Amino acid sequence: MATIKDVAARAGVALGTASRVLSGSSQTSADSRARVLAAAAELGYVAHGPARSLRRARTDVLGLLVSDIRNPFFSELAHAAEQEARRHGFTVLLANANEDAEQADAYLRTFAGQRVDGLLFSPQDNISPQLAATLASGMPLVFLNRTVEGVDAPLYGTDNAQGVQQVLSWLERRGHRDVAFIGGPETISTGAERRAAYVAGRAAHGISTDDRLLDAGDFLAGGAAEAMSRVIDRGVPFTAVFGANGQTTLGAVRALRERLGAEQAARIEIVSFDDLDWFEFASPPISAVRNDASAIGRLGVRGLIDLLAGREAVGQRIATTFIDRAVRGTG
Amino acid sequence: MATIKDVAARAGVALGTASRVLSGSSQTSADSRARVLAAAAELGYVAHGPARSLRRARTDVLGLLVSDIRNPFFSELAHAAEQEARRHGFTVLLANANEDAEQADAYLRTFAGQRVDGLLFSPQDNISPQLAATLASGMPLVFLNRTVEGVDAPLYGTDNAQGVQQVLSWLERRGHRDVAFIGGPETISTGAERRAAYVAGRAAHGISTDDRLLDAGDFLAGGAAEAMSRVIDRGVPFTAVFGANGQTTLGAVRALRERLGAEQAARIEIVSFDDLDWFEFASPPISAVRNDASAIGRLGVRGLIDLLAGREAVGQRIATTFIDRAVRGTG
């Protein structure tokens, strides 16, 4: 296991400098910070346990950094995490990255400066200098729903492959061949996994492999509406739309209604990853993969508490259920 | 202005005890805590400025305690507050009271223990011992959307009377006489203000004053569905429903569909305080008071920053707009 001496050597700085950077001190130059953090990340440096607990007094506060608090999936997850934490005597402070990697980094810095015992994190993107620093500081951390390649922390997240399989089976049962897929960013693990499962599985379910029917937004309503519009502009007809998360489906439905009119839009069947409050009221009602945000929040908190107690935490993929709201008839 | 000596005298405790309670020390008995906090609240004791800044180093972190993070009004507000705070160089840590006064108190304690410069707070209920302690500690605080009687802190919130007036005018224009009103808790200022404005204004707009058409839930979907069910059970016919917040409207619509069936439910016009994403997709579409959560979050942060800078902060009622989605025809 790498020591702080190894990190200092690799970064080409004095031991004291490495120590100051890794303890989060601001008395360091930007250059040495960058070098030390990169070295720590490369070597997989983890701060020594006892030193850590000396430095940090327990506060019974957990930090939760979500991707987008306006996404009901994350507000439900946050609610469940907080309820579970309270059952174990912890409170949860929440921060919102708003699907922005820079903002996520700002909040990782905030949490480092605050007195939190551990972090629940739904990341945006690839490993960032601040995430490397957080890991290097020895802060116990679990990932919620999304992971970052190359970081060894337990993930509690949706079984994306299962959820997409349920959608594909439903599309086949409903007789859809021409399906528009509106995905999320490829840089986010959920975006990449859902698209990969869809692209890999569509042919086996009799669904067109015409890639002009694929597009992607930002997992927010605005970007999804633009992606839906681009698919419409390509002129390839489709009878169903699959939105890769709840906000994506919202944006796609808005774009369909704006571009085609409510009546024409109502002839297109919609299916969504994430089940939202209003899907039962849409016309026609929207079928959906229920992505168990509560279970993810709950299990993530239990995992983090295990880490805090020095126990091992094993990540888990949480099963999805499919809510079929199709109006009966020929698809 | 009351001093800490006045507080100790009124509470009948030693000066050191009063000081320990007001600085948040746990080395005090429950009895002396209660007496000191009550005395501090009664005397309007505010901790001395310079002493305060000695005790607390600036962290550029603000705390935001919302009532219910699953309510889109509050997630939108939180998002706007955080964006505004970041423009001024602050980050925001969020906590969720889940419409529970005890949980709100737990989070006030958490924020007191964390390093936050000031608090944005959307309270549940009446003044609590922990809120008294927070105020007594001199923590700069503004209220968002809801206020607590007897506490002198600036409020940035919706103009509830104006919003209800817009609903009453719309109901009259649509020709509704028999209207079910599903409110929120009377102990929450927004619940009380919206009900009072409705009850005071209904007769002038030709709306029935039969109180069997009034009921109230908990501002969450579950409690609202029960309230809607109780109104249905009373057997007084109605042609429209007014839900006093977005989650209330969700619960009311669910109960109408479950109890009356989708077809019969679609004949009842719905109008809501708070405008939600899906109201445009409901059938018939739901008209709503747009409650400007973003403006409230933004102005609240600016007010708090004014307080932090030693400037005065003057609360503000934020205007509502009415979104008329009624399908044209005789009401």
Side-chain angles (χ1 to χ4, degrees), chain B residues 221-280:
Chain B
E226 289 167 21
M228 186 75 256
S229 247
R230 287 192 295 269
V231 173
I232 294 170
D233 287 338
R234 284 186 209 122
V236 182
F238 53 88
T239 59
V241 173
F242 174 19
N245 83 348
Q247 298 312 92
T248 297
T249 300
L250 172 65
V253 170
R254 263 196 196 133
L256 286 173
R257 290 167 62 102
E258 271 173 37
R259 295 288 307 273
L260 312 178
E263 210 176 304
Q264 182 75 8
R267 291 207 193 97
I268 292 168
E269 276 203 319
I270 313 286
V271 60
S272 181
F273 214 106
D274 292 342
D275 190 27
L276 299 189
D277 278 345
W278 56 273
F279 285 176
E280 60 182 302

Short mmCIF file of all heavy atoms in Angstrom, two decimals, chain B residues 221-280:
data_model
loop_
_atom_site.label_atom_id
_atom_site.label_comp_id
_atom_site.label_asym_id
_atom_site.label_seq_id
_atom_site.Cartn_x
_atom_site.Cartn_y
_atom_site.Cartn_z
N ALA B 221 -48.86 14.61 -0.65
CA ALA B 221 -49.89 13.97 -1.48
C ALA B 221 -50.80 13.04 -0.67
O ALA B 221 -52.02 13.02 -0.87
CB ALA B 221 -49.24 13.23 -2.64
N GLY B 222 -50.23 12.29 0.26
CA GLY B 222 -51.01 11.30 1.02
C GLY B 222 -52.11 11.94 1.84
O GLY B 222 -53.28 11.54 1.77
N GLY B 223 -51.75 12.93 2.62
CA GLY B 223 -52.73 13.61 3.47
C GLY B 223 -53.78 14.34 2.66
O GLY B 223 -54.96 14.41 3.05
N ALA B 224 -53.38 14.87 1.51
CA ALA B 224 -54.32 15.60 0.66
C ALA B 224 -55.35 14.63 0.06
O ALA B 224 -56.53 14.96 -0.06
CB ALA B 224 -53.57 16.33 -0.44
N ALA B 225 -54.89 13.43 -0.32
CA ALA B 225 -55.81 12.44 -0.89
C ALA B 225 -56.87 12.07 0.15
O ALA B 225 -58.06 11.93 -0.16
CB ALA B 225 -55.05 11.20 -1.35
N GLU B 226 -56.45 11.94 1.40
CA GLU B 226 -57.42 11.63 2.47
C GLU B 226 -58.42 12.77 2.65
O GLU B 226 -59.62 12.54 2.84
CB GLU B 226 -56.70 11.36 3.79
CG GLU B 226 -55.95 10.03 3.78
CD GLU B 226 -54.98 9.88 4.95
OE1 GLU B 226 -55.17 10.58 5.97
OE2 GLU B 226 -54.03 9.09 4.83
N ALA B 227 -57.92 14.01 2.61
CA ALA B 227 -58.81 15.16 2.76
C ALA B 227 -59.82 15.21 1.62
O ALA B 227 -61.01 15.45 1.83
CB ALA B 227 -57.98 16.45 2.80
N MET B 228 -59.34 14.95 0.40
CA MET B 228 -60.24 14.95 -0.78
C MET B 228 -61.32 13.90 -0.61
O MET B 228 -62.48 14.12 -0.91
CB MET B 228 -59.39 14.69 -2.03
CG MET B 228 -60.15 14.79 -3.34
SD MET B 228 -60.50 16.51 -3.83
CE MET B 228 -62.24 16.64 -3.43
N SER B 229 -60.90 12.73 -0.10
CA SER B 229 -61.83 11.63 0.12
C SER B 229 -62.91 12.02 1.14
O SER B 229 -64.08 11.68 0.97
CB SER B 229 -61.07 10.41 0.64
OG SER B 229 -61.11 9.39 -0.31
N ARG B 230 -62.49 12.72 2.19
CA ARG B 230 -63.47 13.15 3.20
C ARG B 230 -64.51 14.08 2.58
O ARG B 230 -65.70 13.98 2.88
CB ARG B 230 -62.76 13.83 4.37
CG ARG B 230 -62.00 12.88 5.28
CD ARG B 230 -61.56 13.56 6.58
NE ARG B 230 -60.60 14.63 6.39
CZ ARG B 230 -59.26 14.48 6.39
NH1 ARG B 230 -58.74 13.29 6.58
NH2 ARG B 230 -58.48 15.52 6.21
N VAL B 231 -64.05 14.99 1.71
CA VAL B 231 -65.01 15.92 1.07
C VAL B 231 -65.99 15.12 0.20
O VAL B 231 -67.21 15.35 0.26
CB VAL B 231 -64.28 16.98 0.24
CG1 VAL B 231 -65.27 17.82 -0.56
CG2 VAL B 231 -63.43 17.88 1.14
N ILE B 232 -65.46 14.16 -0.56
CA ILE B 232 -66.34 13.33 -1.40
C ILE B 232 -67.38 12.62 -0.53
O ILE B 232 -68.56 12.59 -0.83
CB ILE B 232 -65.51 12.30 -2.22
CG1 ILE B 232 -64.62 13.04 -3.24
CG2 ILE B 232 -66.41 11.29 -2.93
CD1 ILE B 232 -63.57 12.15 -3.92
N ASP B 233 -66.92 12.09 0.61
CA ASP B 233 -67.82 11.36 1.51
C ASP B 233 -68.95 12.22 2.06
O ASP B 233 -70.02 11.71 2.40
CB ASP B 233 -67.03 10.77 2.69
CG ASP B 233 -66.18 9.58 2.26
OD1 ASP B 233 -66.49 8.98 1.22
OD2 ASP B 233 -65.19 9.28 2.97
N ARG B 234 -68.71 13.53 2.16
CA ARG B 234 -69.76 14.39 2.72
C ARG B 234 -70.93 14.56 1.75
O ARG B 234 -71.99 15.05 2.15
CB ARG B 234 -69.18 15.75 3.10
CG ARG B 234 -68.38 15.67 4.39
CD ARG B 234 -67.89 17.02 4.88
NE ARG B 234 -66.66 16.79 5.62
CZ ARG B 234 -65.48 17.34 5.34
NH1 ARG B 234 -65.37 18.21 4.35
NH2 ARG B 234 -64.43 17.05 6.07
N GLY B 235 -70.71 14.20 0.49
CA GLY B 235 -71.82 14.15 -0.47
C GLY B 235 -72.29 15.48 -1.01
O GLY B 235 -73.29 15.53 -1.73
N VAL B 236 -71.60 16.58 -0.69
CA VAL B 236 -71.97 17.88 -1.27
C VAL B 236 -71.34 17.96 -2.66
O VAL B 236 -70.12 17.82 -2.79
CB VAL B 236 -71.45 19.04 -0.38
CG1 VAL B 236 -71.88 20.39 -0.97
CG2 VAL B 236 -71.90 18.87 1.05
N PRO B 237 -72.14 18.14 -3.71
CA PRO B 237 -71.55 18.13 -5.05
C PRO B 237 -70.64 19.33 -5.30
O PRO B 237 -70.85 20.39 -4.71
CB PRO B 237 -72.77 18.19 -5.99
CG PRO B 237 -73.98 18.34 -5.14
CD PRO B 237 -73.58 18.43 -3.71
N PHE B 238 -69.62 19.13 -6.12
CA PHE B 238 -68.72 20.24 -6.49
C PHE B 238 -68.29 20.05 -7.94
O PHE B 238 -68.26 18.93 -8.45
CB PHE B 238 -67.52 20.31 -5.55
CG PHE B 238 -66.75 19.02 -5.40
CD1 PHE B 238 -65.73 18.70 -6.28
CD2 PHE B 238 -67.09 18.10 -4.40
CE1 PHE B 238 -65.02 17.51 -6.16
CE2 PHE B 238 -66.39 16.89 -4.28
CZ PHE B 238 -65.35 16.60 -5.16
N THR B 239 -67.95 21.17 -8.60
CA THR B 239 -67.57 21.13 -10.01
C THR B 239 -66.10 21.49 -10.21
O THR B 239 -65.56 21.40 -11.30
CB THR B 239 -68.41 22.12 -10.85
OG1 THR B 239 -68.20 23.45 -10.31
CG2 THR B 239 -69.89 21.76 -10.77
N ALA B 240 -65.45 21.96 -9.13
CA ALA B 240 -64.04 22.33 -9.22
C ALA B 240 -63.35 22.04 -7.89
O ALA B 240 -64.00 21.99 -6.85
CB ALA B 240 -63.89 23.81 -9.57
N VAL B 241 -62.04 21.83 -7.96
CA VAL B 241 -61.22 21.61 -6.75
C VAL B 241 -60.06 22.59 -6.79
O VAL B 241 -59.40 22.75 -7.83
CB VAL B 241 -60.68 20.17 -6.68
CG1 VAL B 241 -59.71 20.01 -5.51
CG2 VAL B 241 -61.82 19.16 -6.55
N PHE B 242 -59.80 23.22 -5.65
CA PHE B 242 -58.64 24.11 -5.50
C PHE B 242 -57.67 23.46 -4.50
O PHE B 242 -58.00 23.30 -3.34
CB PHE B 242 -59.13 25.48 -5.01
CG PHE B 242 -58.04 26.49 -4.68
CD1 PHE B 242 -56.73 26.36 -5.16
CD2 PHE B 242 -58.34 27.60 -3.89
CE1 PHE B 242 -55.75 27.29 -4.84
CE2 PHE B 242 -57.35 28.54 -3.57
CZ PHE B 242 -56.06 28.39 -4.04
N GLY B 243 -56.50 23.07 -4.99
CA GLY B 243 -55.47 22.47 -4.13
C GLY B 243 -54.49 23.54 -3.67
O GLY B 243 -53.95 24.27 -4.50
N ALA B 244 -54.21 23.61 -2.37
CA ALA B 244 -53.47 24.74 -1.81
C ALA B 244 -51.96 24.66 -1.98
O ALA B 244 -51.26 25.61 -1.65
CB ALA B 244 -53.83 24.93 -0.34
N ASN B 245 -51.44 23.54 -2.44
CA ASN B 245 -50.06 23.53 -2.96
C ASN B 245 -49.93 22.38 -3.98
O ASN B 245 -50.90 21.63 -4.19
CB ASN B 245 -49.00 23.48 -1.84
CG ASN B 245 -48.72 22.10 -1.29
OD1 ASN B 245 -49.43 21.14 -1.56
ND2 ASN B 245 -47.66 21.99 -0.50
N GLY B 246 -48.79 22.27 -4.62
CA GLY B 246 -48.66 21.32 -5.71
C GLY B 246 -48.87 19.88 -5.27
O GLY B 246 -49.58 19.11 -5.93
N GLN B 247 -48.26 19.49 -4.14
CA GLN B 247 -48.41 18.11 -3.68
C GLN B 247 -49.85 17.83 -3.26
O GLN B 247 -50.34 16.71 -3.41
CB GLN B 247 -47.45 17.82 -2.51
CG GLN B 247 -45.97 17.96 -2.85
CD GLN B 247 -45.58 17.25 -4.12
OE1 GLN B 247 -45.58 17.83 -5.21
NE2 GLN B 247 -45.27 15.98 -4.01
N THR B 248 -50.52 18.85 -2.73
CA THR B 248 -51.93 18.72 -2.37
C THR B 248 -52.78 18.43 -3.61
O THR B 248 -53.65 17.55 -3.61
CB THR B 248 -52.41 20.01 -1.67
OG1 THR B 248 -51.67 20.17 -0.46
CG2 THR B 248 -53.90 19.97 -1.37
N THR B 249 -52.49 19.15 -4.69
CA THR B 249 -53.24 18.94 -5.93
C THR B 249 -52.99 17.53 -6.47
O THR B 249 -53.92 16.85 -6.90
CB THR B 249 -52.84 20.02 -6.96
OG1 THR B 249 -53.16 21.30 -6.40
CG2 THR B 249 -53.57 19.83 -8.27
N LEU B 250 -51.74 17.08 -6.41
CA LEU B 250 -51.43 15.70 -6.83
C LEU B 250 -52.28 14.70 -6.06
O LEU B 250 -52.91 13.81 -6.65
CB LEU B 250 -49.94 15.42 -6.62
CG LEU B 250 -49.48 13.97 -6.83
CD1 LEU B 250 -49.65 13.54 -8.28
CD2 LEU B 250 -48.00 13.80 -6.42
N GLY B 251 -52.31 14.83 -4.74
CA GLY B 251 -53.09 13.90 -3.92
C GLY B 251 -54.58 13.99 -4.21
O GLY B 251 -55.27 12.97 -4.28
N ALA B 252 -55.07 15.21 -4.42
CA ALA B 252 -56.50 15.40 -4.69
C ALA B 252 -56.89 14.75 -6.02
O ALA B 252 -57.91 14.06 -6.11
CB ALA B 252 -56.84 16.89 -4.70
N VAL B 253 -56.05 14.95 -7.05
CA VAL B 253 -56.35 14.36 -8.36
C VAL B 253 -56.34 12.83 -8.25
O VAL B 253 -57.22 12.15 -8.79
CB VAL B 253 -55.33 14.85 -9.42
CG1 VAL B 253 -55.46 14.07 -10.72
CG2 VAL B 253 -55.53 16.34 -9.70
N ARG B 254 -55.38 12.30 -7.53
CA ARG B 254 -55.34 10.84 -7.34
C ARG B 254 -56.61 10.33 -6.69
O ARG B 254 -57.19 9.34 -7.13
CB ARG B 254 -54.16 10.48 -6.44
CG ARG B 254 -52.98 10.06 -7.23
CD ARG B 254 -51.95 9.33 -6.37
NE ARG B 254 -50.73 9.32 -7.15
CZ ARG B 254 -49.53 9.65 -6.70
NH1 ARG B 254 -49.37 9.97 -5.42
NH2 ARG B 254 -48.50 9.62 -7.49
N ALA B 255 -57.04 11.02 -5.63
CA ALA B 255 -58.24 10.57 -4.91
C ALA B 255 -59.47 10.68 -5.79
O ALA B 255 -60.32 9.78 -5.80
CB ALA B 255 -58.42 11.39 -3.63
N LEU B 256 -59.58 11.75 -6.56
CA LEU B 256 -60.74 11.92 -7.45
C LEU B 256 -60.81 10.76 -8.45
O LEU B 256 -61.87 10.19 -8.69
CB LEU B 256 -60.63 13.24 -8.22
CG LEU B 256 -60.91 14.53 -7.45
CD1 LEU B 256 -60.60 15.75 -8.32
CD2 LEU B 256 -62.36 14.60 -6.96
N ARG B 257 -59.65 10.42 -9.05
CA ARG B 257 -59.63 9.35 -10.04
C ARG B 257 -59.94 8.00 -9.41
O ARG B 257 -60.64 7.17 -10.00
CB ARG B 257 -58.29 9.32 -10.77
CG ARG B 257 -58.11 10.54 -11.68
CD ARG B 257 -56.67 10.68 -12.15
NE ARG B 257 -56.24 9.56 -12.94
CZ ARG B 257 -56.15 9.56 -14.28
NH1 ARG B 257 -56.48 10.63 -14.96
NH2 ARG B 257 -55.73 8.50 -14.92
N GLU B 258 -59.40 7.78 -8.21
CA GLU B 258 -59.65 6.50 -7.54
C GLU B 258 -61.11 6.36 -7.10
O GLU B 258 -61.69 5.30 -7.21
CB GLU B 258 -58.75 6.36 -6.30
CG GLU B 258 -57.40 5.72 -6.63
CD GLU B 258 -56.46 5.75 -5.44
OE1 GLU B 258 -56.94 5.58 -4.29
OE2 GLU B 258 -55.27 6.00 -5.66
N ARG B 259 -61.65 7.45 -6.59
CA ARG B 259 -63.01 7.38 -6.04
C ARG B 259 -64.08 7.49 -7.11
O ARG B 259 -65.13 6.85 -7.00
CB ARG B 259 -63.20 8.49 -4.99
CG ARG B 259 -62.32 8.36 -3.73
CD ARG B 259 -62.79 7.20 -2.85
NE ARG B 259 -64.19 7.29 -2.52
CZ ARG B 259 -64.69 7.95 -1.48
NH1 ARG B 259 -63.88 8.57 -0.63
NH2 ARG B 259 -65.99 8.00 -1.28
N LEU B 260 -63.83 8.32 -8.14
CA LEU B 260 -64.89 8.59 -9.13
C LEU B 260 -64.62 7.95 -10.48
O LEU B 260 -65.52 7.94 -11.33
CB LEU B 260 -65.05 10.10 -9.32
CG LEU B 260 -65.16 10.99 -8.07
CD1 LEU B 260 -65.25 12.45 -8.46
CD2 LEU B 260 -66.37 10.58 -7.23
N GLY B 261 -63.42 7.42 -10.69
CA GLY B 261 -63.04 6.92 -12.02
C GLY B 261 -62.49 8.06 -12.86
O GLY B 261 -62.83 9.23 -12.63
N ALA B 262 -61.64 7.71 -13.84
CA ALA B 262 -60.93 8.73 -14.62
C ALA B 262 -61.90 9.61 -15.40
O ALA B 262 -61.71 10.83 -15.51
CB ALA B 262 -59.93 8.06 -15.57
N GLU B 263 -62.98 8.99 -15.94
CA GLU B 263 -63.87 9.74 -16.82
C GLU B 263 -64.64 10.81 -16.03
O GLU B 263 -64.69 11.98 -16.42
CB GLU B 263 -64.85 8.76 -17.45
CG GLU B 263 -65.33 9.19 -18.82
CD GLU B 263 -66.22 8.10 -19.42
OE1 GLU B 263 -65.76 6.94 -19.53
OE2 GLU B 263 -67.38 8.42 -19.73
N GLN B 264 -65.20 10.40 -14.92
CA GLN B 264 -65.96 11.31 -14.06
C GLN B 264 -65.03 12.37 -13.48
O GLN B 264 -65.37 13.56 -13.43
CB GLN B 264 -66.61 10.48 -12.92
CG GLN B 264 -67.48 11.27 -11.96
CD GLN B 264 -68.82 11.63 -12.59
OE1 GLN B 264 -69.16 11.18 -13.68
NE2 GLN B 264 -69.56 12.50 -11.90
N ALA B 265 -63.83 11.95 -13.07
CA ALA B 265 -62.86 12.89 -12.48
C ALA B 265 -62.48 13.96 -13.49
O ALA B 265 -62.27 15.12 -13.12
CB ALA B 265 -61.63 12.13 -12.01
N ALA B 266 -62.41 13.60 -14.79
CA ALA B 266 -61.99 14.55 -15.81
C ALA B 266 -63.02 15.66 -16.01
O ALA B 266 -62.74 16.67 -16.65
CB ALA B 266 -61.72 13.83 -17.13
N ARG B 267 -64.23 15.48 -15.47
CA ARG B 267 -65.25 16.53 -15.61
C ARG B 267 -65.10 17.61 -14.54
O ARG B 267 -65.76 18.64 -14.60
CB ARG B 267 -66.66 15.92 -15.47
CG ARG B 267 -66.98 15.04 -16.65
CD ARG B 267 -68.47 14.93 -16.93
NE ARG B 267 -68.67 13.83 -17.87
CZ ARG B 267 -69.01 12.59 -17.49
NH1 ARG B 267 -69.28 12.31 -16.23
NH2 ARG B 267 -69.10 11.64 -18.39
N ILE B 268 -64.26 17.34 -13.55
CA ILE B 268 -64.05 18.32 -12.47
C ILE B 268 -62.82 19.16 -12.82
O ILE B 268 -61.77 18.62 -13.12
CB ILE B 268 -63.88 17.59 -11.13
CG1 ILE B 268 -65.22 16.93 -10.76
CG2 ILE B 268 -63.42 18.54 -10.03
CD1 ILE B 268 -65.13 15.94 -9.63
N GLU B 269 -62.97 20.48 -12.80
CA GLU B 269 -61.82 21.33 -13.12
C GLU B 269 -60.95 21.50 -11.89
O GLU B 269 -61.45 21.68 -10.78
CB GLU B 269 -62.30 22.70 -13.62
CG GLU B 269 -62.62 22.67 -15.11
CD GLU B 269 -62.55 24.06 -15.73
OE1 GLU B 269 -63.02 25.03 -15.10
OE2 GLU B 269 -62.03 24.17 -16.84
N ILE B 270 -59.64 21.46 -12.13
CA ILE B 270 -58.70 21.55 -11.02
C ILE B 270 -57.89 22.83 -11.16
O ILE B 270 -57.47 23.19 -12.26
CB ILE B 270 -57.70 20.37 -11.02
CG1 ILE B 270 -58.42 19.03 -11.22
CG2 ILE B 270 -56.84 20.36 -9.77
CD1 ILE B 270 -59.18 18.54 -10.06
N VAL B 271 -57.67 23.50 -10.04
CA VAL B 271 -56.80 24.67 -10.02
C VAL B 271 -55.89 24.54 -8.80
O VAL B 271 -56.30 23.98 -7.78
CB VAL B 271 -57.63 25.98 -10.02
CG1 VAL B 271 -58.55 26.08 -8.81
CG2 VAL B 271 -56.72 27.19 -10.14
N SER B 272 -54.66 24.97 -8.95
CA SER B 272 -53.66 24.68 -7.91
C SER B 272 -52.85 25.91 -7.54
O SER B 272 -52.54 26.75 -8.39
CB SER B 272 -52.72 23.60 -8.44
OG SER B 272 -51.75 23.25 -7.47
N PHE B 273 -52.49 26.00 -6.28
CA PHE B 273 -51.43 26.91 -5.88
C PHE B 273 -50.14 26.12 -6.14
O PHE B 273 -50.04 24.97 -5.70
CB PHE B 273 -51.54 27.26 -4.39
CG PHE B 273 -51.09 28.67 -4.09
CD1 PHE B 273 -51.99 29.68 -3.82
CD2 PHE B 273 -49.74 29.00 -4.12
CE1 PHE B 273 -51.58 30.99 -3.56
CE2 PHE B 273 -49.31 30.30 -3.88
CZ PHE B 273 -50.24 31.30 -3.59
N ASP B 274 -49.18 26.69 -6.85
CA ASP B 274 -47.96 26.03 -7.35
C ASP B 274 -48.26 25.46 -8.73
O ASP B 274 -49.26 24.80 -8.92
CB ASP B 274 -47.45 24.85 -6.49
CG ASP B 274 -46.93 25.25 -5.13
OD1 ASP B 274 -46.63 26.44 -4.92
OD2 ASP B 274 -46.83 24.36 -4.26
N ASP B 275 -47.35 25.70 -9.64
CA ASP B 275 -47.49 25.15 -10.99
C ASP B 275 -46.48 24.02 -11.15
O ASP B 275 -45.29 24.22 -10.95
CB ASP B 275 -47.25 26.26 -12.02
CG ASP B 275 -47.61 25.81 -13.42
OD1 ASP B 275 -48.48 24.93 -13.56
OD2 ASP B 275 -47.04 26.35 -14.38
N LEU B 276 -46.95 22.84 -11.50
CA LEU B 276 -46.04 21.69 -11.65
C LEU B 276 -45.84 21.35 -13.13
O LEU B 276 -46.70 21.62 -13.97
CB LEU B 276 -46.59 20.47 -10.91
CG LEU B 276 -46.79 20.61 -9.40
CD1 LEU B 276 -47.13 19.25 -8.79
CD2 LEU B 276 -45.55 21.17 -8.72
N ASP B 277 -44.69 20.72 -13.39
CA ASP B 277 -44.31 20.27 -14.73
C ASP B 277 -45.45 19.63 -15.51
O ASP B 277 -45.60 19.85 -16.70
CB ASP B 277 -43.22 19.18 -14.61
CG ASP B 277 -41.84 19.76 -14.43
OD1 ASP B 277 -41.67 20.97 -14.66
OD2 ASP B 277 -40.93 19.00 -14.03
N TRP B 278 -46.20 18.77 -14.84
CA TRP B 278 -47.13 17.91 -15.56
C TRP B 278 -48.52 18.49 -15.74
O TRP B 278 -49.35 17.90 -16.42
CB TRP B 278 -47.24 16.55 -14.85
CG TRP B 278 -47.64 16.61 -13.41
CD1 TRP B 278 -46.82 16.77 -12.34
CD2 TRP B 278 -48.97 16.51 -12.88
NE1 TRP B 278 -47.54 16.77 -11.17
CE2 TRP B 278 -48.86 16.61 -11.47
CE3 TRP B 278 -50.24 16.34 -13.45
CZ2 TRP B 278 -49.98 16.56 -10.62
CZ3 TRP B 278 -51.34 16.28 -12.60
CH2 TRP B 278 -51.21 16.40 -11.20
N PHE B 279 -48.79 19.69 -15.15
CA PHE B 279 -50.15 20.22 -15.23
C PHE B 279 -50.60 20.43 -16.67
O PHE B 279 -51.77 20.29 -16.99
CB PHE B 279 -50.27 21.53 -14.44
CG PHE B 279 -50.29 21.34 -12.94
CD1 PHE B 279 -50.31 22.46 -12.10
CD2 PHE B 279 -50.32 20.09 -12.35
CE1 PHE B 279 -50.35 22.32 -10.72
CE2 PHE B 279 -50.34 19.93 -10.97
CZ PHE B 279 -50.36 21.05 -10.15
N GLU B 280 -49.63 20.77 -17.55
CA GLU B 280 -49.99 20.97 -18.95
C GLU B 280 -50.41 19.67 -19.63
O GLU B 280 -51.12 19.69 -20.64
CB GLU B 280 -48.81 21.59 -19.73
CG GLU B 280 -47.56 20.73 -19.69
CD GLU B 280 -46.34 21.35 -20.41
OE1 GLU B 280 -46.44 21.64 -21.61
OE2 GLU B 280 -45.29 21.52 -19.75
#
